[in-house]
Amino acid sequence: KQEVTQIPAALSVPEGENLVLNCSFTDSAIYNLQWFRQDPGKGLTSLLLIQSSQREQTSGRLNASLDKSSGRSTLYIAASQPGDSATYLCAARTSGTYKYIFGTGTRLKVLA
Amino acid sequence: GAGVSQTPSNKVTEKGKYVELRCDPISGHTALYWYRQSLGQGPEFLIYFQGTGAADDSGLPNDRFFAVRPEGSVSTLKIQRTERGDSAVYLCASSLNPTNEQFFGPGTRLTVL
């Protein structure tokens, strides 16, 4: 059974810092992994999707990596801004299924 | 273009009542998903539709929960005899096909008093 864990649960950093959010999963037979952002009281905004055959994906200041053998994905945010403050969720889809298993998220606060 | 929309945005009901939550996916998306999110938790999968059929309903917690997608577009999640524990945000997502990224709607916040 796939389980997804995100560490840390909360993170507070000064503006301009580069930071890394961690996501680990127990079943390495994943089809893909998707990172989302969720603002308070809002739905999820898709950030990056990594297929199982890929090692990383980049979009602007965001870079997500995937290491299936170690059961880990990281989301790297460069030059953080106060507008990056939100909860970041990772979700893994196991091969042979169509549903995402989500972590509980990392609540990020970027201080101006 | 228009994203996934969900109505109502908020629903307050009394214990024991019946509720319907609606999801309008992105036009042309064949796959539709329902998730439920409790406070401080990540979304939990409920059901997945491919076209009109429920391809995976393993996440529905019990037989009080039912969902339909009769024409392969709009979907309705139906909850009978609501309980206080059903209170949560119900999220809908769609994707072009099951292998593509999922796009989420804003959710319906259900409160059962």
Side-chain angles (χ1 to χ4, degrees):
Chain A
K1 179 188 173 187
Q2 181 72 270
E3 293 180 3
V4 178
T5 305
Q6 291 187 248
I7 294 173
L11 183 62
S12 188
V13 300
E15 182 177 7
E17 270 204 11
N18 302 324
L19 56 100
V20 174
L21 307 181
N22 297 294
C23 172
S24 60
F25 46 92
T26 55
D27 187 344
S28 62
I30 66 167
Y31 184 84
N32 60 32
L33 186 142
Q34 194 166 349
W35 282 92
F36 296 88
R37 168 190 173 133
Q38 186 171 33
D39 292 283
K42 305 292 185 183
L44 279 62
T45 300
S46 176
L47 297 175
L48 290 164
L49 172 72
I50 312 178
Q51 302 290 353
S52 63
S53 58
Q54 298 173 321
R55 292 299 300 269
E56 64 178 74
Q57 280 284 351
T58 298
S59 175
R61 294 183 294 109
L62 305 179
N63 176 279
S65 68
L66 176 64
D67 184 342
K68 290 194 300 180
S69 62
S70 66
R72 291 182 184 175
S73 176
T74 61
L75 180 66
Y76 175 84
I77 303 177
S80 58
Q81 303 170 358
D84 295 331
S85 299
T87 295
Y88 290 80
L89 293 154
C90 72
R93 183 185 145 197
T94 306
S95 295
T97 73
Y98 297 100
K99 61 187 177 186
Y100 275 133
I101 304 298
F102 281 83
T104 53
T106 293
R107 192 169 62 256
L108 173 66
K109 187 168 186 177
V110 180
L111 306 169
Chain B
V4 178
S5 62
Q6 293 185 245
T7 54
S9 54
N10 280 285
K11 177 69 176 179
V12 180
T13 190
E14 294 179 344
K15 181 175 178 293
K17 298 290 188 182
Y18 168 83
V19 297
E20 290 189 351
L21 311 179
R22 176 187 168 110
C23 172
D24 281 85
I26 293 172
S27 178
H29 280 197
T30 64
L32 186 145
Y33 311 80
W34 283 99
Y35 293 84
R36 178 168 72 172
Q37 187 175 26
S38 300
L39 193 64
Q41 302 295 313
E44 291 182 299
F45 169 80
L46 295 176
I47 187 169
Y48 153 62
F49 285 91
Q50 179 55 41
T52 60
D56 183 353
D57 64 358
S58 62
L60 295 177
N62 52 59
D63 61 5
R64 296 186 297 106
F65 289 75
F66 189 71
V68 296
R69 194 186 185 200
E71 297 179 357
S73 178
V74 171
S75 176
T76 304
L77 178 65
K78 308 180 180 192
I79 310 174
Q80 298 177 323
R81 304 183 304 280
T82 52
E83 300 177 356
R84 293 193 180 87
D86 299 336
S87 296
V89 176
Y90 288 80
L91 294 165
C92 176
S94 71
S95 61
L96 185 62
N97 61 55
T99 61
N100 287 76
E101 67 184 300
Q102 296 183 19
F103 295 91
F104 280 75
T108 293
R109 182 176 299 278
L110 175 66
T111 302
V112 182
L113 301 177

